[in-house]
Amino acid sequence: QDGDPFIRAIRMYLRDGTLPSDQKVAREMSLSKPRFELRDRVLYHHFPVPKGRPGILWHQLVVPYDLREEIMSAHHDDVVGGSHLGADRTYYKILPKYYWDGMYTDIQKWCASCLECGSCKTGGMRGKAPPTPFSRRSQVTLTILMY
């Protein structure tokens, strides 16, 4: 996590109270402080369990930029882990364990760029093909077969 500048800044703020020089980032950090926690030098994000009991939180590992693709791949592409779930199902599979800023958008883009998913999707509702008329010969053959 120390290799990621954003995570390093949050960890420094939680450890020392040191805010970044950028006023906008400093304000965001001070407002989001209650959602983050350092445990054994590892940064976690607290997230309320959706549709869960009030006060129950998930403790999500904050993921550095370099590992995000690996996590998305493991939960979407992997036969055991994901089997090419859609963006929403992939997101809800990752959500209890991991956190990064803009996670939902990144997962949507990852799933949309998946070649295997793109080749299997039907593209929505399509109309039926127009009926093709029987040739005279196939009607005669069909009539003979019926008797």
Side-chain angles (χ1 to χ4, degrees):
Q1 289 181 331
D2 277 335
D4 188 295
F6 178 72
I7 295 173
R8 185 173 49 242
I10 293 174
R11 288 175 57 164
M12 282 179 53
Y13 176 59
L14 291 174
R15 208 174 28 233
D16 314 335
T18 308
L19 283 170
S21 58
D22 182 348
Q23 292 294 337
K24 184 179 176 186
V25 175
R27 179 174 160 68
E28 261 183 61
M29 281 184 143
S30 61
L31 292 174
S32 66
K33 183 180 179 179
R35 294 185 302 210
F36 291 98
E37 173 190 17
L38 268 176
R39 270 195 272 155
D40 298 324
R41 298 176 24 122
V42 177
L43 185 64
Y44 288 89
H45 178 259
H46 296 189
F47 187 82
V49 175
K51 298 179 184 176
R53 297 180 298 263
I56 304 296
L57 300 173
W58 282 331
H59 300 284
Q60 304 161 301
L61 180 66
V62 180
V63 179
Y65 183 80
D66 296 344
L67 297 175
R68 294 174 186 177
E69 284 187 7
E70 188 175 328
I71 288 172
M72 289 186 287
S73 176
H75 288 81
H76 173 75
D77 305 350
D78 188 54
V79 176
V80 176
S83 297
H84 296 274
L85 305 171
D88 288 342
R89 290 178 71 189
T90 301
Y91 173 71
Y92 286 111
K93 195 169 186 182
I94 293 173
L95 186 64
K97 298 177 253 179
Y98 303 107
Y99 170 83
W100 65 85
D101 194 35
M103 186 166 72
Y104 185 74
T105 303
D106 289 349
I107 292 169
Q108 280 185 314
K109 289 177 184 175
W110 180 268
C111 293
S113 69
C114 176
L115 295 176
E116 194 168 331
C117 288
S119 67
C120 295
K121 302 283 186 215
T122 60
M125 298 290 287
R126 294 184 179 163
K128 293 181 180 178
T132 55
F134 282 96
S135 67
R136 177 77 183 130
R137 184 172 180 187
S138 58
Q139 286 177 348
V140 171
T141 308
L142 189 60
T143 305
I144 293 170
L145 292 173
M146 289 175 59
Y147 290 108

